[in-house]
Amino acid sequence: MPECIFCKIIRREMPGKIVYEDETVIAIEDIHPQAPVHLLVLPKAHIETLGAMGSEDEGLIGKLFSVAARLARERGVESRGYRTVINNGTGAGQSVFHLHLHVLGGRVFHWPPG
Ligand code: AMP
Ligand code: ZN
């Protein structure tokens, strides 16, 4: 998927502030942060949406959340609360079609989201 910006960041073909990386997952700073802490946790494999994941990806989905929780703790937003979001599809606000888990913290979040 040469046109995918997140694949390009993973391959170091585009700049990105990488804050975590292992064999299957990478986390970056969001380029347009919507909160004092705004990270994106993504699988290294190009998977477009949550719906494109199969049962064989269940471990990977768990890994995304586990890394998100660790990063939230490290960034000091756990005690005040933080939000994890996956936008799926254009109507839900997805703009980059490489699955990613938003981790937002450091401010108050309202419900329901807009
Ligand atoms: P979504 O709208 O849920 O698909 O989220 C895509 C997110 O990717 C947005 O919050 C963007 O600000 C962010 N984004 C877009 N391009 C980049 C980039 N080059 N580096 C880091 N984050 C990006
Ligand atoms: Zn991709």
Side-chain angles (χ1 to χ4, degrees), residues 65-112:
F65 281 95
S66 145
V67 168
R70 189 191 316 174
L71 292 173
R73 200 173 307 128
E74 286 174 8
R75 293 298 178 102
V77 296
E78 189 179 38
S79 58
R80 274 186 67 196
Y82 61 95
R83 186 165 285 178
T84 51
V85 175
I86 298 177
N87 295 321
N88 280 283
T90 314
Q94 186 173 8
S95 59
V96 179
F97 282 78
H98 179 133
L99 180 75
H100 49 281
L101 176 61
H102 293 260
V103 182
L104 298 133
R107 67 168 170 86
V108 172
F109 295 94
H110 299 287
W111 192 262

Side-chain angles (χ1 to χ4, degrees), residues 1 4-7 10 45-47 97-98:
M1 288 289 170
C4 171
I5 55 171
F6 288 170
C7 282
I10 292 164
H46 181 85
I47 300 167
F97 282 78
H98 179 133

